[in-house]
Amino acid sequence: MKRSISTTKVRSKSSESSSIEDELDRTDKGILRLLQRDASISNVALAAKVHLSPPACLRRVERLKRLGLITGIVALLNPMALDAGMLVMIGVVLDRSTPDSFSDFEKAAVKVSGCMECHVVTGEFDYFMLLRTRDSDGFNRLHAEQLLHLPGVRQIRTFMVLKQVLSTTKLPI
């Protein structure tokens, strides 16, 4: 009678070239792809799609959370239905490039109404902000009441989005 010997490859976590993605198998990646499309899928349905038992699937999802690959589960809302149909991109230039001026700006920027994203960037601008508001009148109010009062700002350049071609939360896996 022949005996089958099973071997398992173990990856060293101390290897400089290893990353969390190296630790993901096809099933983990399938789970992540499916959850990116619809995080409201039941564990039973998710398990069936990735060919696992529900308890094994749940363990995998919990492991992906512990690894920091799943950082939250949210509902994506329709901005038009919630009177936030105007999308505005803003380029910001600060008057000084000091740690304090960056810190002061960032603390204030996270409090701006409708601010969806704020990024430190290279090039002509120091920051890009992505805001949602009802319409141009709403943006004018926001500009006058909040944006003009952001600390350390030398210049704000506003770009009104005419047409959204692509917006996704899905990362390539």
Side-chain angles (χ1 to χ4, degrees):
M1 170 161 71
K2 283 188 173 180
R3 289 179 64 187
S4 173
I5 298 175
S6 174
T7 61
T8 303
K9 287 186 178 181
V10 177
R11 292 192 173 105
S12 168
K13 289 190 177 186
S14 64
S15 170
E16 288 180 33
S17 64
S18 107
S19 69
I20 289 178
E21 191 171 354
D22 293 337
E23 296 180 32
L24 302 179
D25 63 15
R26 184 180 319 156
T27 303
D28 290 331
K29 290 178 182 180
I31 290 170
L32 292 172
R33 276 192 290 273
L34 289 164
L35 289 176
Q36 279 192 113
R37 279 188 227 125
D38 181 9
S40 69
I41 188 171
S42 72
N43 183 59
V44 172
L46 179 61
K49 287 183 183 275
V50 296
H51 310 291
L52 289 175
S53 69
C57 185
L58 186 58
R59 283 193 299 273
R60 292 266 190 144
V61 170
E62 292 303 318
R63 178 179 157 268
L64 294 169
K65 288 178 181 178
R66 279 193 313 277
L67 289 171
L69 294 164
I70 298 173
T71 58
I73 296 174
V74 300
L76 300 176
L77 307 180
N78 179 345
M80 299 299 269
L82 295 168
D83 282 336
M86 176 169 270
L87 185 59
V88 182
M89 293 182 201
I90 299 173
V92 177
V93 178
L94 298 183
D95 58 7
R96 296 183 320 276
S97 292
T98 65
D100 286 342
S101 63
F102 278 80
S103 177
D104 292 345
F105 175 82
E106 290 170 14
K107 286 176 190 167
V110 299
K111 296 176 185 173
V112 171
S113 302
C115 186
M116 306 291 292
E117 298 180 26
C118 183
H119 304 274
V120 177
V121 296
T122 61
E124 181 180 343
F125 298 100
D126 293 311
Y127 291 90
F128 269 111
M129 298 173 72
L130 189 67
L131 292 106
R132 283 221 171 254
T133 187
R134 181 179 187 162
D135 53 23
S136 59
D137 289 337
F139 177 74
N140 283 335
R141 274 191 305 282
L142 179 71
H143 186 267
E145 295 170 6
Q146 294 181 47
L147 297 176
L148 289 177
H149 302 288
L150 289 170
V153 174
R154 182 178 75 203
Q155 180 184 26
I156 294 176
R157 301 272 308 270
T158 303
F159 306 89
M160 302 286 189
V161 174
L162 299 177
K163 178 181 174 184
Q164 186 169 299
V165 177
L166 173 68
S167 178
T168 183
T169 61
K170 297 174 191 162
L171 296 173
I173 299 176

